[in-house]
Amino acid sequence: MGDKMKAVVKKDPAFGAELVEMEVPEVGPEQVLIRVKSTSICGTDYHIYIWNEWARKNINLPQIMGHEVAGEVVRVGERVKKVKVGDYVSSETHIPCGMCYQCLTGNQHICKSMKILGVHTDGVFADYALLEEVDVWPNDPLIPPAYASVQEPLGNAIDTIRAGDVSGKNILITGAGPVGLLAVGVARIFGATKIIVSEPNGYRREIAKEMGADLIVNPLKEDLEYIVKNLTSGKGVDFVAEMSGNQSALKQGLKLLTPGGRMALLGIPDQEVTLNLTGDVIFKGIKLIGITGREMFRTWYIAGRLIKEKRLDLDPVITHHFSLEDFARGMELMKSGDCGKIVLYP
Ligand code: NAD
């Protein structure tokens, strides 16, 4: 293409990232080039930005950051059939190989040779971004770009809540970060009866209320166990969505689950967790369900419908809108935790 673009690049193995000018990338035969309209910051981007232990082990430098995106197709590779120039798209971030046992049995999202956009490949914090045809998701033109880029984490929330089959059930969501907050809204729509949220951060507890939580608890200051037992006549909740990655939240959630209940684990603990399998899992006959990414592409259909039909209001969760140049301000907010989703505009 020969044109220049600006991009947020992680260049050095240290804290931070740089806004640099670089060539717009060439399109491969099964790739799509988009002009980015909006992109949102995920916890993974923050981990790459601060260069934590996980980032040190997984990221090859230099790399353009970011993976949640919406934009307009400006070029397509010679074999691309799914979209054309001018289409308004987002992108799945799991890049499946299409050939392994998981891919061939309807489980592309847990592909054995999975690559992830913005983790193993250049990402989308840029004026232009390369997407794989397999991942490109055509958006309804009625969906605003900020909402369209948040569909990806919304898919995490949808997958987690679907795992609980929550209609008519009392549920506990541990952790009201952006994904937990989206899960509150999804659980409300999917018909959960009582939604209890535990979250230490006051800013996020306020948003949980707006998203439809019935009871919001600060687990560091209040007795979550007593409150849940009281609210469920001693039974415990039917479903727990663990969305914090915090070990004590995970263990607390497991204890508060009624025998025969289900617990979905989305939050990623930063180290191995020891559980009382005999008392808390086996003899309680519960189901533990791991959630990774989003079912491809069922959750995208659901997310698109919920947004287009205005069933789910994303405005309380999208707390900040910045220009791409202000990415460092967004990362500072991520550090404080006093934010929901932060959307960047090139
Ligand atoms: P986040 O880190 O912004 O949110 C986690 C929330 O948990 C924070 O608000 C924090 O205050 C809260 N928390 C901390 N300790 C707690 C406790 N003891 N009890 C209750 N809440 C507590 O993350 P996010 O972007 O909302 O994502 C949620 C989790 O899911 C993270 O662990 C993230 O790494 C993980 N994740 C997993 C997948 C996947 O595919 N499995 C995808 C996206 C995110």
Side-chain angles (χ1 to χ4, degrees):
M1 211 176 186
D3 292 335
K4 299 277 186 196
M5 66 174 194
K6 55 183 180 339
V8 177
V9 177
K10 182 82 189 174
K11 273 187 165 173
D12 302 316
F15 179 92
E18 285 173 47
L19 189 73
V20 301
E21 198 179 65
M22 59 195 295
E23 294 281 318
V24 172
E26 291 296 325
V27 184
E30 286 164 3
Q31 289 182 318
V32 169
L33 183 73
I34 62 164
R35 186 176 58 76
V36 176
K37 285 174 182 262
S38 68
T39 170
S40 33
I41 304 179
C42 165
T44 303
D45 306 318
Y46 178 68
H47 292 150
I48 297 172
Y49 184 77
I50 62 168
W51 203 238
N52 72 358
E53 199 185 325
W54 169 85
R56 285 197 286 274
K57 286 185 187 147
N58 288 282
I59 306 296
N60 289 320
L61 302 179
Q63 186 166 287
I64 302 173
M65 296 177 60
H67 58 266
E68 298 175 10
V69 72
E72 184 186 334
V73 176
V74 290
R75 281 191 75 177
V76 294
E78 63 208 29
R79 290 210 284 272
V80 170
K81 296 200 183 88
K82 203 163 155 188
V83 289
K84 58 184 188 319
V85 170
D87 283 357
Y88 171 42
V89 300
S90 283
S91 182
E92 170 55 50
T93 48
H94 286 202
I95 306 169
C97 72
M99 291 180 289
C100 69
Y101 178 63
Q102 281 69 26
C103 283
L104 296 176
T105 52
N107 287 304
Q108 294 180 83
H109 65 297
I110 44 173
C111 166
K112 224 175 149 195
S113 311
M114 179 80 71
K115 289 204 176 111
I116 295 181
L117 177 66
V119 172
H120 305 112
T121 67
D122 270 331
V124 301
F125 285 179
D127 291 325
Y128 293 89
L130 271 187
L131 306 177
E132 300 299 321
E133 181 184 20
V134 62
D135 283 337
V136 167
W137 179 255
N139 284 320
D140 189 289
L142 290 177
I143 297 178
Y147 293 179
S149 61
V150 172
Q151 285 175 111
E152 195 259 16
L154 176 56
N156 296 132
I158 290 170
D159 235 14
T160 309
I161 296 302
R162 270 171 52 80
D165 191 14
V166 298
S167 168
K169 293 182 180 172
N170 294 329
I171 76 166
L172 169 66
I173 296 177
T174 52
V179 189
L181 290 168
L182 292 167
V184 175
V186 172
R188 190 82 285 159
I189 293 164
F190 285 10
T193 306
K194 273 179 197 154
I195 304 174
I196 306 164
V197 171
S198 78
E199 166 59 54
N201 179 299
Y203 183 93
R204 292 177 167 184
R205 285 201 302 276
E206 283 303 313
I207 304 176
K209 203 183 296 171
E210 282 184 70
M211 293 306 288
D214 296 294
L215 191 77
I216 303 141
V217 180
N218 179 348
L220 306 184
K221 297 233 167 98
E222 296 168 89
D223 187 343
L224 180 65
E225 205 158 318
Y226 175 80
I227 292 168
V228 168
K229 288 273 160 70
N230 201 27
L231 208 75
T232 58
S233 316
K235 294 186 190 68
V237 289
D238 303 297
F239 174 61
V240 177
E242 204 310 289
M243 312 198 87
S244 74
N246 180 283
Q247 284 209 32
S248 53
L250 196 165
K251 290 180 181 181
Q252 208 168 25
L254 210 45
K255 293 237 177 300
L256 295 174
L257 189 60
T258 200
R262 293 186 201 179
M263 180 161 180
L265 306 174
L266 174 101
I268 302 174
D270 54 13
Q271 40 188 288
E272 277 187 25
V273 180
T274 307
L275 299 178
N276 175 0
L277 283 180
T278 308
D280 290 342
V281 178
I282 300 166
F283 287 157
K284 274 174 80 174
I286 64 148
K287 287 191 176 67
L288 274 184
I289 304 152
I291 304 290
T292 181
R294 302 138 295 278
E295 220 186 320
M296 290 164 68
F297 280 85
R298 190 190 309 272
T299 49
W300 284 87
Y301 281 106
I302 298 172
R305 280 181 215 133
L306 292 180
I307 299 172
K308 187 187 161 204
E309 303 301 334
K310 297 192 168 45
R311 296 297 158 129
L312 182 64
D313 182 8
L314 296 180
D315 285 338
V317 181
I318 302 177
T319 53
H320 296 83
H321 300 258
F322 293 151
S323 78
L324 184 66
E325 281 87 347
D326 276 343
F327 68 94
R329 212 168 130 210
M331 294 297 176
E332 275 305 305
L333 272 168
M334 294 285 286
K335 181 180 172 193
S336 75
D338 288 347
C339 60
K341 268 287 159 200
I342 299 165
V343 179
L344 305 172
Y345 302 89

